[in-house]
Amino acid sequence: MILNRPILIKLNITISIAWLCLFFKAHSQESPIDQFEINSNFATPWLEEAISELSSIPNAPEDEIRSHRVTLSYIDPLRATQLLSLHGYKIGKPEEAVDPKSLPMVVALPGTTFHEIIPKPEEKFPQTETDPINELIIFHNPSIPSQLSEILSKLSNDIDKPARQIMIEAMILEVSETALDELGVKWTKAEGANNSLGKNLNTLSIGSLQHPSSGAALELLTKGGGNGLIEGLNAQLKALVREGQAEVLSRPSVLALDNRMAYINVSEDIPVANTSYSPAGRYSSTSFKTMKAGITLSLRPRIDTAGEEVSMQVNAEVTAKVPDADVNVRNNEGTILATSPTISNRSVRTYVRVANNTPFIIGGLIAKDKQSSKNKVPGLGSIPIINKLFQSKKSNTVKREVIIVLTPFVLTEENSLGKSAPMDEDSFDSFDHKLFRDAYRIRGEDTFDLNYLYQNKQLQNMKSITKRLASKNLQLVKQYPYSSFHDEAIPGEKILCYRQIYEVLKRRNLEKKIDSAKIIFFEKDKNIGSGNRVQFLEDFIKANTPEILSNKPHSTALALTYRASRLSDNAESIFSEPVPVLSIVKCEDNDSWSKALWKMNQSSSENKEQFTVLIRNQDDIKRLKYAILTKKCIELNSENFALKLSNFSRGRLLLMPRITTKDIELIDIDVAQAFFYSEMYYQAQQVAMEKDIAAFQRITKEKQHLQILNLPRRN
């Protein structure tokens, strides 16, 4: 929101209406039925009567049938229905009607024609409805929640379990041993010689055998002096063998599912000529096709139950262009039209079983290439009979062996990152892009060590009870306090998420982009007597508590307290929520500031939730800026995602708000909540956990969980 000061007063009513629209939009995400269930406990008398009348409407008839579609993530529908049948559930057929007396019943949706993910350009792109379907339909009676809940629980816990993941690293080496044979006489210019022909052979020396790594294994050297047979030239006879060298061709890695195929292809397309001739042997035409030259790996890993060993089917193929082996394509007149390369192919297929994190080697993919060249002295090397004395031939044999080193890394079920996670580097972040939103990749340092929560035995017991209840009625675990213990939820976890987001924003120094002079709050419009008007925070502080903006010691703080009115049916009360109650608080030091902040963020005497922003100095204004950014970040990532510890994990991308110094920023109850939670997160999280555990303990002692499970009470 970007505004100019002169027109702010004219837009007061517009801002209030816009806030009201956002209020209803934020609270319209839940279904109307859920709203009735949640708000009926807090309804005013006339609303309570209306809800009671709706509740008196008879439930669904006993023979009503509803369907619920389930998308399977790993197992195919046919196998899923076979396993459900073994557990005693009834399986229907798509062509037969469902009998209400046979509920619940599971039917596998029929599959469709398979299409490649990316069809070939010449083929028609498949219609969406023809894509493969991996779904089941569960028919159930809505008046008996356990019919649906039990099947969904059985599918997620025992049947459609996600496959374990494995990271396979490959290192492909090429070891070459070059045998260089150089035979004949090679003439070189001697130092200080004038290359004239001499009359006598002056000297003859024989070199010694040397280690291959030094170059020559045998060297026979004749030195021609001033009176030599060929003055000024050196004649060398060499036999040379060089040491082999290893080169890393590629280091690909792939993340695969257990018992699923993985494919690695590191190759290039090489054009190969295809020539046709007439029956009489005369040239007819030439066409070209492409062939792959490179390395392909096909892998299918199987992980044992303990995750300690991996059985793997490996198909490896190495194709390469053979040097100096091109075939010339000529026409009838002998003119070269094209050259066609020769492609070598080496492959191996095997089954192996290795321990986790243990490399194994596939070798023996050997190829040999021969190359030859001739050197001669100009003129003399072309004279018949004696030309051999002035020539040398070089034959180069290249022996290449490809070695493949594979290392499997089984990822743990608790942490799907491990070996597959890249390092915590800024290069994985995305900022200042013109078209896309800014994103920050969560690092290990951004997450808290919460083993004291995850490993607490009593919390695990409460989660086990909730899981058992979910198998009977999934709708129940969406209600408080079961919702705080269901699945991966932790009591009070959203408070810790506020702090973690605050730390990320602080590390990025994003508060510098918010102009303190453009932070506003609402106050009652006393002139008109209705609605709200805008007040700039900095102007208000300068007029009422200027010492807050100075560096001089003082004992004054400004409090902006927001009280939740989201359960009210009164328009005036609804419009009062974005308007804070302003007060001047005495705070002599940081300790008194902390005590005041904690006290002013507790529920009111009417048990209404309230949150306070307490500003004592410039540091608190900076905290306020981060609270504004925290609210924006949560809205951008959605509250259901950003405020769950299971989602705020290393490697995830967190969308970041993009702001400018021209933006006008509003303080409201959500900003006040972020201000409090980001500062006093441990204290607030402890209180929230105590509240949730006490509520869970109360309903457990009242045996409500036994009523849900239809189990007898135990005294």
Side-chain angles (χ1 to χ4, degrees):
M1 180 173 60
I2 303 176
L3 300 174
N4 295 322
R5 286 193 178 209
I7 63 172
L8 282 174
I9 297 177
K10 297 180 181 180
L11 296 179
N12 287 342
I13 298 177
T14 304
I15 293 174
S16 299
I17 295 175
W19 174 88
L20 185 61
C21 293
L22 289 174
F23 173 86
F24 284 112
K25 180 180 179 181
H27 291 78
S28 62
Q29 302 299 321
E30 300 175 2
S31 65
I33 295 177
D34 293 336
Q35 287 292 307
F36 280 133
E37 293 177 353
I38 295 173
N39 294 344
S40 60
N41 296 328
F42 306 95
T44 52
W46 67 276
L47 284 175
E48 185 176 3
E49 181 180 356
I51 295 173
S52 177
E53 292 172 350
L54 291 174
S55 301
S56 63
I57 297 176
N59 291 328
E62 294 183 359
D63 59 349
E64 181 179 352
I65 299 177
R66 288 188 185 176
S67 62
H68 181 85
R69 295 178 67 166
V70 179
T71 301
L72 301 173
S73 60
Y74 176 68
I75 195 170
D76 64 90
L78 179 60
R79 185 169 175 81
T81 53
Q82 291 173 344
L83 294 176
L84 285 172
S85 178
L86 293 175
H87 283 87
Y89 294 101
K90 297 178 182 178
I91 308 301
K93 298 180 180 179
E95 63 272 11
E96 296 180 359
V98 177
D99 184 1
K101 297 180 181 179
S102 301
L103 300 179
M105 181 175 289
V106 183
V107 179
L109 280 178
T112 58
T113 304
F114 176 78
H115 292 278
E116 294 289 344
I117 297 177
I118 303 178
K120 297 179 180 179
E122 62 271 13
E123 295 180 357
K124 182 180 179 181
F125 197 84
Q127 298 294 323
T128 303
E129 62 269 16
T130 63
D131 289 342
I133 298 175
N134 206 36
E135 291 184 330
L136 301 175
I137 295 184
I138 303 174
F139 294 93
H140 64 99
N141 190 328
S143 62
I144 309 176
S146 61
Q147 288 187 352
L148 175 62
S149 301
E150 288 181 356
I151 296 178
L152 292 177
S153 177
K154 181 63 65 176
L155 283 171
S156 61
N157 296 330
D158 301 325
I159 296 178
D160 192 30
K161 298 183 66 175
R164 298 194 66 175
Q165 296 188 97
I166 181 172
M167 170 68 72
I168 303 174
E169 284 190 351
M171 182 169 63
I172 303 170
L173 302 168
E174 184 176 66
V175 180
S176 62
E177 181 181 341
T178 303
L180 180 62
D181 297 330
E182 186 174 337
L183 302 175
V185 180
K186 183 176 181 180
W187 300 88
T188 58
K189 179 181 178 182
E191 294 183 5
N194 56 13
N195 288 347
S196 61
L197 291 177
K199 297 180 180 179
N200 300 311
L201 183 62
N202 188 28
T203 59
L204 177 66
S205 63
I206 300 177
S208 60
L209 290 174
Q210 301 177 14
H211 191 274
S213 62
S214 63
L218 175 64
E219 181 177 293
L220 178 64
L221 179 64
T222 62
K223 295 182 178 179
N227 298 321
L229 177 64
I230 303 177
E231 184 178 346
L233 292 180
N234 291 335
Q236 297 179 353
L237 179 63
K238 293 183 177 181
L240 183 65
V241 178
R242 301 188 185 277
E243 285 189 335
Q245 295 181 346
E247 178 185 2
V248 178
L249 299 181
S250 180
R251 296 197 65 169
S253 61
V254 62
L255 182 64
L257 291 178
D258 180 28
N259 202 27
R260 292 292 182 94
M261 205 70 183
Y263 182 71
I264 299 175
N265 181 15
V266 184
S267 63
E268 60 179 339
D269 291 332
I270 295 179
V272 178
N274 184 19
T275 306
S276 59
Y277 294 87
S278 65
R282 296 184 61 81
Y283 170 80
S284 177
S285 63
T286 300
S287 61
F288 289 87
K289 64 179 181 179
T290 59
M291 294 185 64
K292 295 287 186 183
I295 300 166
T296 57
L297 283 173
S298 299
L299 311 166
R300 183 189 292 274
R302 290 185 179 180
I303 308 170
D304 71 344
T305 304
E308 297 176 353
E309 287 190 343
V310 178
S311 300
M312 194 179 306
Q313 177 184 356
V314 181
N315 294 345
E317 183 176 4
V318 180
T319 55
K321 179 182 177 181
V322 180
D324 296 333
D326 292 352
V327 178
N328 294 328
V329 178
R330 302 175 183 270
N331 60 11
N332 297 325
E333 288 74 27
T335 304
I336 298 177
L337 301 177
T339 57
S340 180
T342 301
I343 305 296
S344 65
N345 186 295
R346 292 161 284 169
S347 63
V348 62
R349 297 184 179 183
T350 184
Y351 294 88
V352 296
R353 186 179 68 180
V354 295
N356 183 30
N357 293 3
T358 303
F360 65 95
I361 296 176
I362 300 174
L365 303 174
I366 301 174
K368 288 185 178 181
D369 302 325
K370 292 185 178 181
Q371 300 174 350
S372 61
S373 61
K374 180 189 293 186
N375 295 323
K376 63 181 179 179
V377 177
L380 296 176
S382 302
I383 300 175
I385 301 176
I386 66 170
N387 58 354
K388 300 295 184 181
L389 297 175
F390 303 96
Q391 295 178 354
S392 67
K393 292 183 178 180
K394 183 186 295 184
S395 177
N396 189 13
T397 301
V398 180
K399 178 181 177 182
R400 304 193 315 271
E401 179 178 4
V402 174
I403 297 176
I404 302 174
V405 183
L406 297 176
T407 308
F409 298 92
V410 178
L411 303 187
T412 60
E413 295 180 348
E414 296 79 12
N415 181 10
S416 60
L417 291 175
K419 187 69 178 178
S420 64
M423 296 179 63
D424 291 339
E425 295 290 343
D426 294 342
S427 56
F428 292 102
D429 299 333
S430 176
F431 284 93
D432 300 325
H433 198 284
K434 292 184 178 180
L435 299 178
F436 300 98
R437 294 190 180 276
D438 293 344
Y440 173 84
R441 183 175 175 272
I442 299 174
R443 293 144 169 78
E445 61 189 15
D446 300 323
T447 59
F448 294 162
D449 184 359
L450 301 175
N451 286 335
Y452 70 95
L453 293 177
Y454 294 125
Q455 298 180 7
N456 183 274
K457 301 302 181 183
Q458 303 312 317
L459 282 177
Q460 292 177 5
N461 290 334
M462 297 177 198
K463 293 176 74 68
S464 297
I465 293 175
T466 306
K467 183 178 180 180
R468 180 73 183 277
L469 294 175
S471 66
K472 290 292 183 180
N473 191 339
L474 279 176
Q475 297 300 321
L476 179 71
V477 295
K478 296 179 181 179
Q479 301 177 12
Y480 180 82
Y482 297 115
S483 58
S484 298
F485 299 88
H486 179 51
D487 202 13
E488 297 180 343
I490 294 292
E493 63 179 341
K494 79 171 187 178
I495 299 172
L496 296 180
C497 291
Y498 269 98
R499 178 65 183 191
Q500 291 181 143
I501 295 173
Y502 168 85
E503 292 288 352
V504 170
L505 296 169
K506 188 176 180 180
R507 196 170 288 116
R508 298 290 308 179
N509 293 321
L510 294 182
E511 56 87 19
K512 295 181 179 179
K513 296 184 178 181
I514 296 181
D515 187 354
S516 301
K518 291 185 172 62
I519 299 177
I520 64 172
F521 62 89
F522 287 145
E523 62 180 7
K524 291 291 185 181
D525 192 337
K526 298 179 181 179
N527 182 35
I528 298 178
S530 178
N532 306 324
R533 61 189 299 269
V534 170
Q535 174 66 56
F536 282 88
L537 176 65
E538 191 172 275
D539 292 346
F540 184 87
I541 293 176
K542 289 179 180 179
N544 296 275
T545 54
E547 59 272 19
I548 291 178
L549 300 178
S550 67
N551 295 323
K552 298 179 181 180
H554 63 277
S555 59
T556 304
L558 173 64
L560 295 85
T561 301
Y562 294 84
R563 293 172 180 169
S565 302
R566 299 180 182 181
L567 298 176
S568 175
D569 62 348
N570 182 274
E572 182 179 358
S573 178
I574 293 174
F575 270 85
S576 68
E577 182 180 291
V579 179
V581 176
L582 303 177
S583 59
I584 307 298
V585 181
K586 185 177 181 180
C587 292
E588 297 179 351
D589 51 26
N590 290 335
D591 289 340
S592 60
W593 177 86
S594 298
K595 291 180 180 179
L597 180 65
W598 176 260
K599 183 178 180 180
M600 300 184 76
N601 278 277
Q602 305 308 306
S603 298
S604 64
S605 57
E606 297 86 9
N607 202 29
K608 290 185 177 180
E609 201 173 36
Q610 64 181 23
F611 292 98
T612 298
V613 174
L614 189 59
I615 303 175
R616 179 173 173 266
N617 50 36
Q618 292 284 1
D619 290 339
D620 296 331
I621 295 179
K622 184 181 293 186
R623 287 191 183 95
L624 175 60
K625 292 180 180 180
Y626 282 122
I628 294 171
L629 291 169
T630 301
K631 175 197 171 182
K632 289 178 175 289
C633 185
I634 293 172
E635 290 177 343
L636 195 59
N637 292 275
S638 82
E639 185 172 338
N640 290 333
F641 174 84
L643 297 183
K644 290 185 178 180
L645 289 173
S646 58
N647 293 331
F648 198 95
S649 57
R650 181 182 177 186
R652 292 284 188 97
L653 283 180
L654 187 68
L655 298 180
M656 304 294 283
R658 182 176 294 186
I659 54 178
T660 67
T661 55
K662 298 179 180 180
D663 295 345
I664 301 292
E665 304 296 348
L666 172 67
I667 310 173
D668 59 8
I669 190 171
D670 296 319
V671 172
Q673 184 181 31
F675 185 93
F676 172 61
Y677 283 158
S678 61
E679 181 62 29
M680 313 198 79
Y681 53 101
Y682 269 131
Q683 300 91 327
Q685 202 260 344
Q686 179 180 340
V687 171
M689 178 171 286
E690 291 173 351
K691 175 186 174 184
D692 293 347
I693 292 177
F696 193 94
Q697 184 179 14
R698 183 181 67 255
I699 62 173
T700 303
K701 288 183 176 180
E702 294 173 356
K703 311 299 181 183
Q704 293 187 20
H705 63 294
L706 297 181
Q707 297 175 13
I708 297 167
L709 295 174
N710 295 322
L711 297 176
R713 291 172 176 260
R714 294 181 181 179
N715 297 324

